[in-house]
Amino acid sequence: MNRILPTPLPGVYHARRKVHDDTRGSFARIADSGWLENLHAQGHIAQVNHSKTTLRGTVRGIHMQRPPHCGWKTVTCLSGRIWDVAVDLRSGSGTFLRWHAVELSAMESLHIPAGCAHAFQVLEGPAEILYLMSESYQPESELRVHPLDTTLDVKWPLPVTDLSDADSKAPSLTGEFAGVPT
């Protein structure tokens, strides 16, 4: 049986899957329609991504897409360990600009609703991550926030050792940032 645990951010869920082990190895269901309904994930899976990050301390994110391409994302750790972060950027939300993080290891997920951004830090690599997304990536809709943004003040558990060029050049939030409509 899979366990779905709520978090302090509305719509963000930590999911732990039941892994079936035997002499051949293991098996786990990543997703099905009932599981997605339990996460309140409306719509369908439009895109599936895979990433592999080798260096401990590496941060990927903080990313999301603006409307009309804003959608949910379920991030599943396949191997390694990560510190997975959801950031509420929904305008009018009672948890606007708050973040919540969960350590994920193999076959654990964080479901992130539309209007929340995502980032992770590798705690133990290589870390392989599978992303189920309700919207296909549209470069013109991308919203990036610098991972060391002082407004959000995400408490990374390790020193940030590696950022992509795009993440290191991402802007910080300003006082004019009013969030994204959902």
Side-chain angles (χ1 to χ4, degrees), residues 9-159:
L9 299 182
V12 176
Y13 296 98
H14 177 196
R16 294 181 177 155
R17 287 179 185 75
K18 172 68 176 154
V19 178
H20 303 278
D21 293 305
D22 65 22
T23 57
R24 301 166 295 167
S26 63
F27 174 86
R29 183 177 301 180
I30 297 291
D32 62 30
S33 59
W35 188 79
L36 291 171
E37 286 173 17
N38 287 336
L39 294 173
H40 308 284
Q42 303 298 316
H44 64 283
I45 297 170
Q47 185 170 322
V48 178
N49 296 335
H50 172 267
S51 74
K52 182 178 181 179
T53 309
T54 54
L55 295 176
R56 186 174 189 260
T58 298
V59 171
R60 289 186 184 243
I62 300 169
H63 309 146
M64 65 172 291
Q65 291 197 121
R66 291 182 180 94
H69 303 289
C70 188
W72 57 260
K73 178 186 297 185
T74 299
V75 179
T76 302
C77 183
L78 299 176
S79 66
R81 284 186 315 116
I82 63 171
W83 199 69
D84 210 32
V85 180
V87 180
D88 191 343
L89 298 179
R90 299 171 284 194
S91 58
S93 168
T95 54
F96 180 60
L97 298 182
R98 288 188 43 209
W99 57 271
H100 179 74
V102 175
E103 184 177 314
L104 299 180
S105 56
M107 300 315 297
E108 289 187 88
S109 300
L110 192 65
H111 177 76
I112 301 148
C116 289
H118 172 253
F120 71 86
Q121 183 175 48
V122 175
L123 301 176
E124 179 185 309
E128 291 194 63
I129 312 302
L130 183 74
Y131 305 79
L132 305 178
M133 299 167 47
S134 66
E135 294 288 332
S136 295
Y137 175 67
Q138 304 296 324
E140 69 279 3
S141 293
E142 184 175 58
L143 172 67
R144 286 180 184 259
V145 178
H146 196 284
L148 300 176
D149 177 273
T150 57
T151 300
L152 297 175
D153 196 27
V154 174
K155 303 293 186 207
W156 301 106
L158 300 173

